[in-house]
Amino acid sequence: MRTKPITDQLRRPIRDLRISVTDRCNFRCTYCMPKEVFGDNYAFMPARELLSFEEILRLSRLFVSLGVVKIRLTGGEPLLRSNLHELVSEIRSIDGIEDIGLTTNGVFLGQQAKGLYSAGLRRLNISLDALDPEIFGKMNGRGTKPSLILRNIDQARDLGYEIKINMVVEKGVNESEILPMAAYFKERNITLRFIEFMDVGNDNGWSPAKVVTKKNILQSLQGAYELEALGLASQGEVAQRYRYKDCQTEVGFITSVSESFCSSCTRARLSSDGKFYTCLFASKGTDLRTLLRAGVDDSALLNVIKDIWELRGDRYSDERQEQSAASRNKISMSYIGG
């Protein structure tokens, strides 16, 4: 049941909820979970600390009552969470949900795509940073070849999924893959989105010198293709969209560094242990799991969530400076979700 929709201090509504279902990942991507920090003996959360599916569903219903219409499941790698299709099916049944998506690295998609589709999942964001096996293997930190991911992408597309490919571009690492990736996914009519290397967390060695901006990437693409700009797909959409003029395939840019979109951000985030964050670059969150397990009723939980959002004034990317990016303590993306 809907309550009155809420807005924050900058009049931004709450429309999108990202839910991290696990802090674990099978990759050690250099820009997210570098293996030098997240080594083989790294202590991930024990199962008892993760929100149960029942707790996730209860919180999801509360967020939906405040205005959320879109939910995306993330991680870590969400396909490491057992029986995820059961959670998808339950979320789909929540009155008011218009869309549910999943962000994955695609490794386990071959085994799970059919079950998730049957449960009602229709949209996938799949992370793939290179087609070159050596470059991709180094970036994912596990030596995994792109051929596995590409096979699983084809399988998911054949099942009927709407797919977007996310490519993080880092200067001196995978710039050479911009045009090969564009050509590959243009031919297959799959949207490719270029993501500027961001200072999420404090472990990825970020600096402005490592950022390949949207302007640079677009110039590379325009040397090979004619592109036309498109409008935003929906309220709160963060990707700047373009289309190749000779077909219907789209390409997008997520420009958190060079062209901030804080003013239109409608996203809330729920970590795998139940902390509520109002920004990807947050330093702290509010512990909802403890309230859940203490027996707090829905009315009290709603008031907590409502108060946090209505006091929200986050605009980190608007205010980012190299010094603040280096000194501010930010939550790891593997914990909060992308």
Side-chain angles (χ1 to χ4, degrees):
M1 181 177 178
R2 289 276 184 186
T3 64
K4 183 179 179 181
I6 58 174
T7 57
D8 67 8
Q9 295 292 299
L10 301 178
R11 303 186 66 81
R12 296 170 295 189
I14 185 170
R15 289 179 51 84
D16 307 82
L17 177 63
R18 301 235 162 163
I19 303 173
S20 173
V21 297
T22 180
D23 62 329
R24 297 173 185 267
C25 188
N26 52 308
F27 276 1
R28 290 296 181 268
C29 295
T30 53
Y31 54 80
C32 181
M33 294 178 67
K35 57 187 176 183
E36 294 80 9
V37 178
F38 296 86
D40 292 339
N41 296 319
Y42 185 82
F44 290 101
M45 292 180 200
R48 66 180 179 277
E49 292 188 11
L50 300 177
L51 287 179
S52 67
F53 285 177
E54 291 77 11
E55 290 169 331
I56 290 173
L57 288 167
R58 184 181 172 194
L59 289 175
S60 295
R61 292 187 183 99
L62 296 178
F63 275 97
V64 168
S65 75
L66 294 172
V68 164
V69 295
K70 296 173 64 177
I71 287 179
R72 174 167 295 279
L73 302 179
T74 70
E77 170 48 50
L79 297 186
L80 290 174
R81 183 77 184 255
S82 298
N83 300 316
L84 193 63
H85 64 282
E86 296 177 2
L87 179 62
V88 168
S89 179
E90 293 289 345
I91 290 175
R92 287 292 304 175
S93 70
I94 297 175
D95 186 30
I97 286 292
E98 298 175 3
D99 180 78
I100 177 172
L102 174 80
T103 298
T104 175
N105 60 35
V107 170
F108 302 111
L109 194 57
Q111 301 105 294
Q112 299 189 42
K114 191 172 182 179
L116 288 165
Y117 195 86
S118 296
L121 186 67
R122 294 294 181 269
R123 293 202 310 112
L124 295 170
N125 283 29
I126 301 174
S127 301
L128 182 68
D129 300 316
L131 296 176
D132 180 276
E134 183 176 356
I135 294 174
F136 184 59
K138 287 181 179 178
M139 290 191 74
N140 65 54
R142 294 300 197 204
T144 301
K145 305 300 182 188
S147 55
L148 170 63
I149 315 302
L150 296 173
R151 286 197 302 272
N152 290 342
I153 290 170
D154 288 342
Q155 177 185 337
R157 182 183 59 176
D158 291 344
L159 283 170
Y161 280 103
E162 176 190 338
I163 297 172
K164 292 184 176 73
I165 306 300
N166 290 341
M167 177 186 180
V168 175
V169 185
E170 186 175 351
K171 187 171 291 185
V173 177
N174 64 334
E175 288 167 290
S176 61
E177 292 292 288
I178 292 171
L179 290 178
M181 288 278 286
Y184 184 92
F185 290 106
K186 177 179 184 290
E187 180 182 339
R188 287 157 178 80
N189 192 28
I190 294 175
T191 298
L192 172 63
R193 304 198 303 183
F194 297 99
I195 302 176
E196 294 178 346
F197 178 40
M198 294 182 288
D199 54 317
V200 181
N202 298 97
D203 303 317
N204 64 5
W206 183 88
S207 79
K210 295 182 179 181
V211 177
V212 183
T213 65
K214 173 231 176 175
K215 180 180 179 181
N216 299 140
I217 299 169
L218 185 58
Q219 286 175 343
S220 295
L221 292 175
Q222 289 173 327
Y225 306 105
E226 286 190 79
L227 295 165
E228 57 183 349
L230 302 172
L232 295 178
S234 61
Q235 183 182 8
E237 174 64 54
V238 300
Q240 296 184 27
R241 301 164 56 227
Y242 288 76
R243 181 167 55 212
Y244 298 102
K245 284 190 174 182
D246 62 351
C247 65
Q248 292 300 306
T249 307
E250 292 186 19
V251 63
F253 301 87
I254 298 178
T255 60
S256 172
V257 179
S258 68
E259 299 176 30
S260 167
F261 41 79
C262 292
S263 63
S264 60
C265 178
T266 61
R267 295 182 177 181
R269 288 176 163 82
L270 190 63
S271 70
S272 48
D273 62 347
K275 291 187 175 64
F276 171 30
Y277 293 90
T278 57
C279 180
L280 179 60
F281 303 96
S283 297
K284 62 181 180 179
T286 299
D287 183 0
L288 300 182
R289 186 193 66 191
T290 295
L291 297 176
L292 285 170
R293 296 182 182 179
V296 171
D297 65 22
D298 284 356
S299 177
L301 281 168
L302 268 177
N303 285 333
V304 171
I305 296 168
K306 181 174 179 287
D307 289 348
I308 292 168
W309 189 266
E310 290 183 337
L311 289 173
R312 175 190 187 229
D314 302 296
R315 45 192 297 268
Y316 174 80
S317 291
D318 283 347
E319 301 167 336
R320 178 194 284 109
Q321 298 174 351
E322 184 170 4
Q323 182 179 1
S324 65
S327 61
R328 177 168 167 164
N329 183 35
K330 300 182 291 294
I331 304 301
S332 171
M333 185 159 59
S334 63
Y335 175 79
I336 197 176

